[in-house]
Amino acid sequence: MTTSELVTPQHLARKAIIYIRPSTPPQVLTNHESLYLPCALRQRALQLGWRDDDSDVIDTDLGLTAVEASHRAGFKELVTRVTLGQVGIILSIAVTRLSRNLTDWYPLLDLCGFKSCLIANRDGV
């Protein structure tokens, strides 16, 4: 098991959210790695100590650009769940999958800090 000293029982008591968002419809169709990302990121959550039942995948933003969050229902769901204190960690292939816009990125970082929610990819927490 690959753990992190940043993960605490408080984090593990909440959900691990796996956020998947290839940028464009053609990427959804041609980037076959995106089909395996939920499984790889779920495995990462398991390595960090979450149970399989405690991981949810948000993939409703498939094919949508991250330039702006206002049109991404999945990102809004993610922010809402973090705000409600339901999320212990957000897993994504890269932070650019969450946002490419500082106006959306910084509030998410602030919220995660306030609610003690970690952000991780396959390589680090």
Side-chain angles (χ1 to χ4, degrees):
M1 177 183 284
T2 305
T3 61
S4 169
E5 66 280 354
L6 299 174
V7 177
T8 67
Q10 177 188 0
H11 296 112
L12 295 171
R14 295 178 274 154
K15 290 285 189 174
I17 300 295
I18 298 163
Y19 184 81
I20 307 294
R21 187 202 54 79
S23 299
T24 63
Q27 282 183 340
V28 173
L29 296 174
T30 61
N31 184 354
H32 298 292
E33 183 185 32
S34 66
L35 299 174
Y36 304 106
L37 290 179
C39 292
L41 291 172
R42 188 178 299 271
Q43 183 62 36
R44 178 74 172 128
L46 291 170
Q47 291 171 341
L48 290 169
W50 271 266
R51 296 177 312 161
D52 194 41
D53 292 347
D54 291 332
S55 297
D56 293 341
V57 175
I58 295 178
D59 61 1
T60 53
D61 294 339
L62 295 178
L64 299 177
T65 180
V67 171
E68 185 179 340
S70 63
H71 66 283
R72 293 187 292 138
F75 186 81
K76 290 177 185 178
E77 176 188 350
L78 176 67
V79 169
T80 299
R81 291 181 71 180
V82 171
T83 300
L84 294 172
Q86 299 173 350
V87 182
I89 193 168
I90 300 167
L91 295 121
S92 188
I93 190 67
V95 295
T96 58
R97 300 297 89 203
L98 296 168
S99 178
R100 292 186 185 261
N101 173 326
L102 296 179
T103 304
D104 299 326
W105 177 239
Y106 285 143
L108 177 62
L109 282 179
D110 284 343
L111 181 60
C112 286
F114 181 67
K115 293 294 186 171
S116 187
C117 175
L118 302 171
I119 297 176
N121 61 19
R122 289 187 288 190
D123 300 320
V125 178

